[in-house]
Amino acid sequence: MEFGFEFLAILSVILFFSALVQGSIGFGFPLISTPLLAMITDMKTAVLYVVIPTLLINVVSLFSEGDILKAFKRFYPLALMAMIGSAIGTQILIYSSSEFFKLLLAISIFFYLAIQKFKFEMKWVNEKPTFSIIFFGFVAGIIGGLTNVMSMILIIYSLEAKHTRKEVIQSANFCFLFGKLVQVIIFTLHGSFTQEVLNASVLSLFVVGIAVVIGIKIKNKIPQDNYNKIIKAFLFLMAVALVYQTLF
């Protein structure tokens, strides 16, 4: 699929805005960029153009938190399950690319917003730690492979496992990193990465890098509560638009 200058300009704006949010509040890049891009193209194309910039975001986030080896030893089982799930989800996306994956993405966003508002209690997460790691890692990976968004599943797990803010960021980014790496490998083997996609992805790394730096600088200048409300309202409107676009 070939795109012209107009698409690349829109892609740059979407990635810049998403990375700006990521730098400002510490999350949100794939959660915002994927549905925005999916509104003007299909889900597979949206994931393809976002996957490499997401890798950069993951690496930056992990290094910014420090203690990488310690975090890896603790969270690699969860990340491995996410990688396996992502491999399966990516294969489904490649061979069964459907407009209804946009609906799945919208449902994922609604679910994410719901867990931010309501308190879920799953006592079995701490009672059965091994099973919970397998379950949440695998499910997050499959959804991530299909929609590029696995944060809502990982947030539920982290909340129930009583992780600190640093642990939430570390566990989520290791899962994202492992999931995106296997996606890149599968897309490459399948021949999905055309020269056009690769060129756009490389150029987008500069856009994303600049936006993240700006976002980090303005992080402390914006009232966090107000900013979070704006982002959540924006996500809600995107999810509604995706539902409308899929069903009508």
Side-chain angles (χ1 to χ4, degrees):
M1 185 179 296
E2 294 185 1
F3 298 102
F5 175 78
E6 183 179 355
F7 172 81
L8 294 178
I10 294 173
L11 173 67
S12 298
V13 172
I14 289 174
L15 295 182
F16 184 88
F17 173 69
S18 304
L20 190 67
V21 172
Q22 174 81 29
S24 300
I25 64 177
F27 77 96
F29 182 77
L31 188 63
I32 293 175
S33 59
T34 307
L36 273 177
L37 199 54
M39 293 173 72
I40 60 172
T41 183
D42 60 275
M43 183 58 69
K44 178 185 173 183
T45 302
V47 173
L48 271 172
Y49 276 92
V50 171
V51 63
I52 292 179
T54 301
L55 279 173
L56 174 63
I57 292 288
N58 296 151
V59 172
V60 171
S61 297
L62 283 171
F63 273 95
S64 67
E65 292 299 322
D67 297 325
I68 294 179
L69 289 178
K70 182 179 178 181
F72 174 77
K73 290 178 181 179
R74 179 174 180 184
F75 296 118
Y76 81 86
L78 183 69
L80 283 176
M81 293 310 303
M83 183 175 68
I84 294 171
S86 184
I88 295 172
T90 303
Q91 291 282 7
I92 296 173
L93 179 67
I94 289 174
Y95 293 106
S96 305
S97 187
S98 168
E99 285 296 299
F100 281 95
F101 290 149
K102 292 184 181 181
L103 186 60
L104 176 61
L105 178 55
I107 293 171
S108 299
I109 294 173
F110 285 135
F111 192 56
Y112 170 79
L113 294 174
I115 66 174
Q116 296 293 302
K117 188 173 182 62
F118 303 105
K119 173 61 179 176
F120 291 88
E121 290 190 7
M122 299 180 181
K123 295 181 180 180
W124 58 269
V125 171
N126 290 310
E127 294 172 354
K128 300 179 180 179
T130 301
F131 175 76
S132 63
I133 287 173
I134 294 173
F135 175 79
F136 282 102
F138 186 69
V139 172
I142 287 181
I143 294 177
L146 287 171
T147 68
N148 209 34
V149 177
M150 63 173 75
S151 57
M152 62 282 172
I153 303 298
L154 297 174
I155 287 175
I156 292 175
Y157 172 72
S158 291
L159 289 174
E160 295 302 320
K162 310 299 181 185
H163 289 165
T164 64
R165 178 184 176 277
K166 181 175 182 177
E167 289 169 340
V168 171
I169 295 174
Q170 289 174 327
S171 62
N173 276 284
F174 267 119
C175 288
F176 290 143
L177 182 61
F178 277 47
K180 295 307 108 182
L181 282 173
V182 78
Q183 268 194 327
V184 168
I185 292 171
I186 292 174
F187 280 140
T188 301
L189 292 175
H190 185 260
S192 298
F193 277 121
T194 64
Q195 192 62 47
E196 181 183 6
V197 173
L198 289 174
N199 290 341
S201 296
V202 171
L203 290 175
S204 69
L205 293 179
F206 294 99
V207 174
V208 168
I210 293 171
V212 168
V213 172
I214 296 174
I216 292 173
K217 289 185 177 181
I218 66 175
K219 180 188 295 185
N220 298 324
K221 298 181 181 181
I222 303 175
Q224 196 67 50
D225 290 341
N226 293 339
Y227 198 63
N228 289 346
K229 289 178 181 177
I230 293 172
I231 296 302
K232 289 175 184 177
F234 183 70
L235 286 171
F236 178 80
L237 291 175
M238 278 196 298
V240 171
L242 284 169
V243 171
Y244 180 82
Q245 190 180 55
T246 303
L247 300 180
F248 301 100

